[in-house]
Amino acid sequence: MDSQPIRLLPRRLAAGAAALSLLAASLFGQVASAEVNSTGLAVTDSEVTVGILHSATGTMAISETGSIQAERLAIEQINASGGVLGRQIKVIQEDGASDWPTFAEKARKLLVNDKVATVFGCWTSASRKAVLPVFERENGLLYYPTFYEGLEQSKNVIYTGQEATQQILAGLDWVAKEKEAKTFYLIGSDYIWPRTSMKIARKHIESVLGGKVVGEEYYPLGNTQFGSLINKIKLRKPDVVFAAVVGGSNVAFYKQMKAAGVTADKQTLLTLSVTEDELLGIGGENMEGFYASMKYFQSLDNPNNTAFVEAFKAKYGKDAVIGDVTQAAYLGPWLWKAAVEKAGSFDIDKVVAASPSIELTSAPEGYVKVHDNHHLWSKTRIGEVQKDGQFKVVFESDLIEPNPFPKGYQ
């Protein structure tokens, strides 16, 4: 066959063809955006905007900084792998500043002004309760990473931490059996999560375990004076101190405990609120031998966690540590990506509808699955504090089905 001569288009015609091609691409892009976004969210053909809302300042920054780091790492990894529905994730970060009204104000800004497709945020139950009406009114979607008291379920929240039956009840069952504990001293910071958690704990101790609560006290967030409490603990000699002190107060509490001679060889203590993040400030030597009930510890030995810890340290430094809530925060962007891609849309209602039964086999904690009640199936683990600020896992449960409204505990 003879070769045909190559014919060049006249310059004007070529320019017109190029313009037509661009117009077609533009129209196609608009259709693509309309298909994946029917609710006016900040989604373009190349980008989707999300919010991060945590305390970067104030007494809760010691706990929440890890969540910010984990969410940003997950988003960076997702972007590197191609993004979500072909779009790169853009982040708008706001500071709740350890102040609940500020959380509500910033949540409204993210949803109403910035029109973000989702928000990864909050730590305390007080901050979550402050933003919840905003998310429900504006039909936003929040991924909440903290272990919490349960007794809540919202269409607009995916809870990636544990609820009470997975952390409190399982932890109390372990310590009652392992330490033959009968008497308990309950302490916590003075807001909704510790108070509700201890209400649930007291009911379980008295009604199920047949034990006795010999003391129960709460202290304001940021409190640093625990001398009177420590004297009462030494006087009453409980089998277990069950603690839910949060934020910076932990540093003062455990250092004062150590100074007063209340150490693990004399006193069993089980905390719901100290992770590797808090231990960084407390110092492992001040808590050595005490226990924590969590679903995740940095020391977990599995391939998923090895890769996660390596990536986290590569980004944030070799001395960076990873706590339970940090890992749960890392799950948020991945669960959202999976739900968006299952729904084929960023539309909030469609993403919410697609979320139940979403599974992550790549989670650092192991396997997780979203329940119909928007909580995760997860395991309970008991970790013993080591001098180096890490935990040695001494107990691991089977997967526990989430039950945010346990009968008899409400």
Side-chain angles (χ1 to χ4, degrees), residues 1 11 40 57 74-75 92 106 125 135 183 264 288 313 331 370:
M1 179 189 288
R11 184 175 297 175
T57 58
I75 288 166
I92 297 177
K106 298 296 187 181
S125 285
F135 277 86
T183 58
E288 188 177 5
K313 286 179 175 288
L331 301 181
V370 182

Side-chain angles (χ1 to χ4, degrees), residues 188-242:
S189 296
D190 194 6
Y191 71 98
I192 184 171
W193 173 67
R195 282 191 173 273
T196 307
S197 295
M198 292 309 172
K199 180 182 176 183
I200 292 167
R202 177 184 280 271
K203 190 161 286 191
H204 193 66
I205 289 164
E206 295 175 346
S207 302
V208 178
L209 301 178
K212 183 180 180 182
V213 175
V214 297
E216 182 173 0
E217 295 194 39
Y218 301 91
Y219 293 84
L221 280 169
N223 180 70
T224 58
Q225 300 301 318
F226 292 97
S228 174
L229 169 64
I230 293 167
N231 286 335
K232 291 176 187 175
I233 291 170
K234 292 172 78 171
L235 182 66
R236 297 181 190 175
K237 297 181 173 61
D239 294 334
V240 177
V241 172
F242 194 55

Side-chain angles (χ1 to χ4, degrees), residues 3-15:
S3 61
Q4 297 295 318
I6 299 172
R7 295 181 179 178
L8 298 176
L9 289 171
R11 184 175 297 175
R12 188 177 298 172
L13 188 58

Side-chain angles (χ1 to χ4, degrees), residues 163-309:
E163 45 75 29
T165 65
Q166 296 170 310
Q167 184 187 29
I168 297 170
L169 305 189
L172 287 171
D173 287 345
W174 174 83
V175 79
K177 179 181 178 183
E178 190 69 23
K179 303 296 181 180
E180 299 182 348
K182 291 295 183 185
T183 58
F184 296 77
Y185 204 117
L186 312 180
I187 61 170
S189 296
D190 194 6
Y191 71 98
I192 184 171
W193 173 67
R195 282 191 173 273
T196 307
S197 295
M198 292 309 172
K199 180 182 176 183
I200 292 167
R202 177 184 280 271
K203 190 161 286 191
H204 193 66
I205 289 164
E206 295 175 346
S207 302
V208 178
L209 301 178
K212 183 180 180 182
V213 175
V214 297
E216 182 173 0
E217 295 194 39
Y218 301 91
Y219 293 84
L221 280 169
N223 180 70
T224 58
Q225 300 301 318
F226 292 97
S228 174
L229 169 64
I230 293 167
N231 286 335
K232 291 176 187 175
I233 291 170
K234 292 172 78 171
L235 182 66
R236 297 181 190 175
K237 297 181 173 61
D239 294 334
V240 177
V241 172
F242 194 55
V245 176
V246 307
S249 294
N250 278 305
V251 178
F253 176 58
Y254 289 104
K255 284 186 175 181
Q256 289 168 28
M257 288 273 279
K258 174 76 176 292
V262 184
T263 50
D265 57 334
K266 303 182 186 73
Q267 176 66 63
T268 298
L269 182 144
L270 178 61
T271 175
L272 299 174
S273 53
V274 174
T275 74
E276 291 85 343
D277 292 297
E278 289 79 18
L279 268 178
L280 200 58
I282 296 165
E285 70 278 4
N286 294 309
M287 280 192 74
E288 188 177 5
F290 289 155
Y291 299 96
S293 177
M294 302 286 168
K295 67 173 181 170
Y296 171 87
F297 294 102
Q298 183 181 317
S299 59
L300 288 184
D301 185 14
N302 67 61
N304 293 350
N305 192 47
T306 299
F308 172 54
V309 172

Side-chain angles (χ1 to χ4, degrees), residues 35-41 111 116-118 135-143 154-158 336 339-356 358 374:
E35 284 177 354
V36 301
N37 172 34
S38 60
T39 49
L41 299 172
L111 296 180
V116 297
T118 191
F135 277 86
E136 292 182 338
R137 183 171 60 249
E138 304 299 338
N139 197 29
L141 179 58
L142 172 68
Y143 283 80
S154 173
K155 170 208 161 187
N156 299 93
V157 183
I158 304 294
W336 175 69
V340 167
E341 292 181 344
K342 180 181 174 185
S345 173
F346 292 101
D347 182 279
I348 300 296
D349 291 339
K350 292 176 181 176
V351 173
V352 168
S355 291
I358 290 287
H374 284 198

Side-chain angles (χ1 to χ4, degrees), residues 363-404:
E365 69 182 83
Y367 171 87
V368 298
K369 182 179 179 179
V370 182
H371 195 280
D372 288 348
N373 60 30
H374 284 198
H375 296 71
L376 300 186
W377 289 77
S378 64
K379 295 182 176 183
T380 293
R381 295 176 171 95
I382 304 295
E384 182 181 358
V385 178
Q386 305 296 294
K387 196 170 186 175
D388 65 358
Q390 288 295 306
F391 289 86
K392 176 184 176 183
V393 177
V394 297
F395 169 79
E396 181 177 293
S397 75
D398 294 329
L399 274 174
I400 300 175
E401 181 177 7
N403 180 15

